[in-house]
């Protein structure tokens, strides 16, 4: 072992180009603002496992920030008919989703007895109030007006969420792409109220079915559809892991934010963001 360490030290000593003088230059820590990030884990209970609880949620919020960055850019790219760029962004979204899903595996190491030691310190705060998660739902087309009331405390945030609530979702702009390709769609679907959750339309279903029956002719639209299915598939897996982790830790207790907890999480599993893309698998 000592021989291996000596060899490693010798190799490092030969790395004469390694920069060590940062008196006048930016460091890695400064670039990433690590002083701010690593000092943001403030336990209210002093319990050992509260650190796990805080970090898992903070990390998930960081991943959601990147997910939103990619998703909103993908929406814009589709609107501008830059589908190849959108495909790359949506592929990255699904990879980000796998990271968020795996976070539940770490949190599930928290036992019910351990969580009860600090749960009361959370007050009414809850992941249910995550504004970034609401933005993701809005960007995917699931619009819930009453949820906005949660954010009235912060005027700037409320305005930001209201704007996202009224904006077209990624499925809306995908439907616009179908119209641009010449498909005869219901005008009410192309120019609709984006604040209303999309519920499906026969003309949209027929258009997507034709895309899948003529893949070579509509290759870009076909790829777009499959990227959207990937995103929804992973989101539903995230929702399922969330539900099972909550059930594992608190059973069927109410959530700290007042929701019904597991029962609420089970209900949202039934919602489909892009219904025609799932239905056509049966109708093809």
């Amino acid at each position: 072992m000592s021989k291996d360490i000596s060899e490693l030290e010798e190799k490092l000593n030969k790395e004469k180009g390694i920069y060590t003088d940062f008196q006048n230059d930016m460091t890695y820590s400064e670039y990433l603002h690590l002083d701010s990030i690593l000092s943001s884990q403030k336990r209210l209970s002093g319990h050992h496992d509260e650190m796990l609880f805080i970090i898992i949620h903070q990390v998930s919020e960081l991943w959601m920030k990147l997910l939103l960055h990619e998703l909103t850019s993908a929406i814009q790219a589709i609107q501008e008919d830059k589908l190849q760029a959108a495909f790359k962004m949506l592929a990255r979204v699904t990879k980000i989703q796998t990271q968020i899903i795996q976070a539940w595996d770490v949190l599930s190491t928290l036992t019910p007895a351990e969580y009860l030691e600090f749960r009361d310190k959370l007050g009414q705060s809850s992941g249910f109030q995550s504004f970034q998660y609401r933005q993701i739902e809005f960007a995917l087309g699931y619009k819930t007006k009453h949820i906005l009331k949660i954010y009235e405390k912060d005027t700037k945030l409320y305005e930001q969420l209201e704007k996202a609530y009224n904006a077209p979702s990624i499925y809306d702009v995908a439907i616009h792409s179908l119209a641009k390709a010449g498909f005869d769609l219901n005008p009410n679907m192309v120019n609709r109220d984006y604040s209303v959750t999309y519920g499906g339309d026969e003309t949209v279903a027929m258009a997507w079915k034709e895309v899948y029956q003529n893949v070579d002719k509509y290759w870009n639209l076909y790829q777009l559809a499959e990227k959207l299915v990937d995103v929804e598939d992973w989101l539903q897996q995230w929702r399922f892991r969330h539900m099972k982790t909550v059930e594992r830790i608190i059973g069927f207790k109410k959530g700290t934010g007042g929701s019904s907890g597991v029962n609420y999480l089970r209900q949202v599993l039934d919602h489909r963001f892009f219904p025609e893309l799932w239905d056509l698998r049966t109708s093809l």
Side-chain angles (χ1 to χ4, degrees), residues 67-231:
L67 191 156
L68 277 167
H69 175 69
E70 300 296 338
L71 189 56
T72 54
S73 295
I75 290 173
Q76 183 178 347
I78 295 168
Q79 288 175 314
E80 297 172 356
D81 297 323
K82 298 175 181 177
L83 294 185
Q84 293 301 320
F87 297 158
K88 174 65 181 296
M89 296 166 189
L90 291 174
R92 184 173 292 162
V93 164
T94 58
K95 292 300 182 182
I96 295 167
Q97 288 174 298
T98 65
Q99 296 300 311
I100 300 177
I101 291 169
Q102 288 175 358
W104 294 122
D105 295 336
V106 183
L107 186 59
S108 66
T109 64
L110 180 69
T111 68
E114 291 163 346
Y115 183 46
L116 285 174
E117 291 291 327
F118 61 86
R119 189 182 191 230
D120 63 325
K121 298 295 183 181
L122 304 180
Q124 277 70 55
S125 65
S126 165
F128 185 83
Q129 298 146 15
S130 168
F131 65 85
Q132 290 198 119
Y133 179 71
R134 296 305 167 193
Q135 285 179 291
I136 292 170
E137 285 190 329
F138 292 171
L140 295 177
Y142 185 50
K143 308 293 181 77
T144 44
K145 180 74 172 178
H146 68 280
I147 290 295
L148 290 176
K149 187 171 179 60
I150 293 173
Y151 311 100
E152 289 179 344
K153 180 179 180 179
D154 186 331
T155 303
K156 185 176 179 180
L157 175 59
Y158 182 86
E159 291 174 353
Q160 179 183 327
L161 284 165
E162 192 172 40
K163 181 179 178 181
Y165 176 79
N166 290 297
S169 71
I170 196 165
Y171 198 50
D172 287 315
V173 298
I175 290 172
H176 294 169
S177 293
L178 289 173
K180 290 176 186 177
F183 288 99
D184 186 16
L185 302 180
N186 179 352
N188 293 330
M189 292 297 103
V190 179
N191 301 295
R192 72 183 199 89
D193 181 355
Y194 301 128
S195 69
V196 177
T197 299
Y198 181 80
D201 180 80
E202 183 60 29
T203 62
V204 173
M206 291 172 62
W208 283 124
K209 186 172 183 179
E210 187 173 340
V211 167
Y212 274 72
Q213 290 174 329
N214 298 276
V215 172
D216 292 339
K217 182 178 179 181
Y218 300 111
W219 177 247
N220 279 340
L221 289 171
Y222 172 71
Q223 284 194 89
L224 175 58
E226 285 298 293
K227 293 296 184 189
L228 293 179
V229 169
D230 287 342
V231 170

